[in-house]
């Protein structure tokens, strides 16, 4: 039986991992540590928070003493580190939070893990610090370049990716210098349930439902490899179970799509849902373009953001060969599930978008 501390477990990817893990490993114990900043949402954990083996702790990963207390009190042997500032646009306008959370927060966790697992009176031999990173640390690719492998040199191009690259190096250093049992996974763009509405896919869905413009940076030909979030959780599971200590593993979706094609695909899916389910027009009366089957008219090209990477692509051959990883969802199946989830969970994304959730958090944790 594992005892896991999941940092950022109320966020998009972290919450999906918690759901996945508790369903698959019901005897394991999970403690979620989350500061509940704008992208962390306790409602993401509604279906698990009353389970006997689940504990939620509100707190900051930068508080080393607090993390040490959690590790000791709950006898944690596995730390899965999702907590991060992750929105590139926000990192351009306000990089300080990214340096603090992504670099200093990871450093704080590493120090706490080393102190409790390696430097205490009782060494925890069977421990694991798993660090969740991104393909953006590798930089950008041309349309004809081979996909990123684990041996691709780091070349981050935004404050966000630079902060994640720094955290990756710290994790590696704590293994090679101090002997901490670490693994790192670098994933491609995730999508699926609980995705914060500022990101591309949920933004397109919710904007269509409000008949708002669908903003496309530049020419819309930026290419990303899209990974359904539950496939990401599955990949991390394989790394935790069988990954070699000190190694990095790429986790990708084998789904390269240009941004403009993503937007058009989602638009058509939403239109199809409005045809199949006539009640949607009543539930979402503002969605005039969807009702009229003309969502492409909402597409609006806007000025590209500074330093926008042209293409990311993950080569997951190592993870496939060593761990047997293969994504279970195609983009067609994954995006259909995602659109359906947002149509079925209006209360969730409305509370995030209108600020009512953050007001509730302020009241609960002030």
């Amino acid at each position: 039986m594992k005892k896991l501390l999941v940092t950022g477990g109320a966020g998009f990817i972290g919450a999906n991992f918690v759901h996945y893990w508790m369903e698959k490993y019901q005897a394991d114990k999970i403690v979620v540590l989350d500061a509940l900043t704008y992208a962390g949402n306790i409602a993401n954990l509604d279906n698990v928070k009353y389970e006997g083996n689940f504990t939620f702790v509100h707190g900051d990963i930068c508080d080393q003493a607090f993390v040490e207390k959690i590790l000791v009190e709950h006898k944690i042997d596995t730390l899965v580190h999702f907590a991060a500032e992750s929105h590139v646009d926000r990192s351009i306008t306000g990089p300080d939070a990214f340096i603090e959370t992504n670099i200093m927060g990871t450093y704080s966790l590493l120090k706490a893990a080393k102190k409790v697992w390696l430097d205490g009176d009782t060494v925890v031999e069977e421990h694991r610090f798993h660090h969740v990173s991104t393909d953006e640390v590798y930089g950008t690719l041309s349309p004809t370049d081979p996909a990123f492998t684990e041996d691709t040199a780091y070349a981050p191009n935004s404050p966000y990716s630079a902060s994640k690259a720094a955290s990756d190096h710290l994790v590696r250093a704590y293994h090679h210098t101090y002997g901490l049992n670490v693994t790192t996974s670098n994933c491609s763009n995730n999508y699926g349930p609980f995705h914060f509405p500022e990101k591309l896919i949920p933004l397109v869905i919710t904007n269509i439902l409000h008949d708002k413009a669908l903003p496309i940076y530049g020419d819309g030909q930026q290419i990303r490899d899209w990974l359904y979030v539950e496939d990401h959780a599955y990949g991390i599971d394989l790394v935790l179970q069988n990954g070699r200590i000190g190694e990095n593993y790429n986790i990708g979706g084998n789904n390269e799509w240009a941004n403009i094609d993503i937007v058009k695909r989602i638009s058509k899916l939403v239109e199809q849902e409005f045809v199949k389910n006539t009640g949607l027009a009543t539930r979402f009366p503002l969605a005039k373009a969807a009702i009229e089957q003309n969502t492409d008219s909402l597409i609006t090209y806007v000025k590209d953001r500074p330093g926008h990477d042209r293409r990311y692509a993950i080569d997951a051959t190592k993870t496939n060969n060593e761990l047997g990883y293969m994504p279970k969802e195609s983009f067609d199946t994954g995006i259909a599930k995602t659109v359906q989830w947002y149509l079925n969970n209006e209360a969730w994304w409305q509370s995030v978008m209108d600020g009512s959730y953050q007001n509730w958090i302020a009241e609960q944790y002030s």
Side-chain angles (χ1 to χ4, degrees), residues 39-53:
N41 190 336
I42 194 68
N44 296 352
L45 301 168
D46 272 350
N47 293 337
V48 299
K49 65 184 181 182
Y50 298 113
E51 297 289 341
N53 288 341

Side-chain angles (χ1 to χ4, degrees), residues 180-197:
L180 195 68
N181 293 342
V182 308
T183 44
T184 296
S185 55
N186 296 81
C187 69
S188 53
N189 280 35
N190 281 220
Y191 69 100
F194 305 119
H195 204 176
F196 195 76

